[in-house]
Amino acid sequence: MILDLKKAFITDGYTSPIEYQLDLSDIEFSGVFPLKKPISVSGTVSNKAGVVLLSIHCVACYDAPCDRCGEEAVREITVDNEYILATEIENEDNDFILLVSDMKLNLAELCRTDVLLHIPMKHLCCDECKGICAKCGTNLNKATCSCGERQIDPRLQALADLLK
């Protein structure tokens, strides 16, 4: 979606709402395509005292296997950002000032980048996920395994005895 911002730059007090659905189902993470549902994008473009502001709110549903137990888990990712839009920048190095020299902004690319940067590195079904037993493969969230205590490497047994 390309936003034409000419009106926003020339009209003081201008406000325009944004409602958009962004499809990122073709994005792959670790062999899965976790963004199966379209991302909901809403926000406003406004001109306040000659400063053009873009406020966006993105909601994405991240659906992928848990990194610890392998169960399918769904998490909602919410991204809220505000940007100052400018047609030219002089000696400014600011991540929240976007240069739109032709007064057009690719909102899809901006939202895509924002959402991808907020996807967690480790995807868990819940914060307290116990994972699976390394020996028998039992999902420790659902049952306890009968493997007993962890076996300590005999070479490190002397160190374990110090902790007792």
Side-chain angles (χ1 to χ4, degrees):
M1 173 180 200
I2 304 294
L3 290 178
D4 187 0
L5 301 169
K6 286 181 187 175
K7 247 185 181 175
F9 278 104
I10 62 173
T11 309
D12 195 26
Y14 175 85
T15 299
S16 176
I18 299 169
E19 290 294 327
Y20 180 58
Q21 296 288 314
L22 177 62
D23 181 26
L24 294 180
S25 60
D26 60 337
I27 303 291
E28 179 184 354
F29 281 96
S30 302
V32 296
F33 296 90
L35 301 169
K36 296 174 178 111
K37 296 179 182 175
I39 295 166
S40 173
V41 179
S42 60
T44 59
V45 174
S46 59
N47 183 332
K48 295 179 184 174
V51 177
V52 180
L53 298 171
L54 170 66
S55 298
I56 55 172
H57 174 76
C58 303
V59 179
C61 184
Y62 188 85
D63 183 2
C66 176
D67 288 337
R68 289 187 187 157
C69 67
E71 295 289 322
E72 197 68 21
V74 178
R75 286 277 176 117
E76 187 174 273
I77 299 169
T78 303
V79 179
D80 291 306
N81 277 329
E82 278 198 355
Y83 296 98
I84 298 171
L85 305 178
T87 55
E88 56 186 39
I89 300 175
E90 290 183 22
N91 300 325
E92 286 286 329
D93 188 23
N94 189 329
D95 291 337
F96 292 99
I97 296 179
L98 291 179
L99 182 62
V100 286
S101 56
D102 59 353
M103 295 190 191
K104 294 187 183 192
L105 176 68
N106 187 342
L107 184 64
E109 188 61 34
L110 180 65
C111 292
R112 178 184 188 274
T113 302
D114 284 349
V115 169
L116 293 179
L117 287 174
H118 283 83
I119 289 178
M121 294 296 289
K122 180 170 266 208
H123 183 64
L124 302 176
C125 57
C126 65
D127 292 333
E128 299 82 27
C129 180
K130 297 175 185 174
I132 58 173
C133 175
K135 287 186 177 182
C136 67
T138 301
N139 185 340
L140 299 174
N141 296 316
K142 296 180 179 179
T144 56
C145 65
S146 58
C147 293
E149 289 187 28
R150 283 185 12 186
Q151 296 295 324
I152 297 176
D153 186 336
R155 297 170 291 178
L156 300 174
Q157 184 63 45
L159 291 175
D161 291 341
L162 290 174
L163 295 174
K164 292 181 183 175

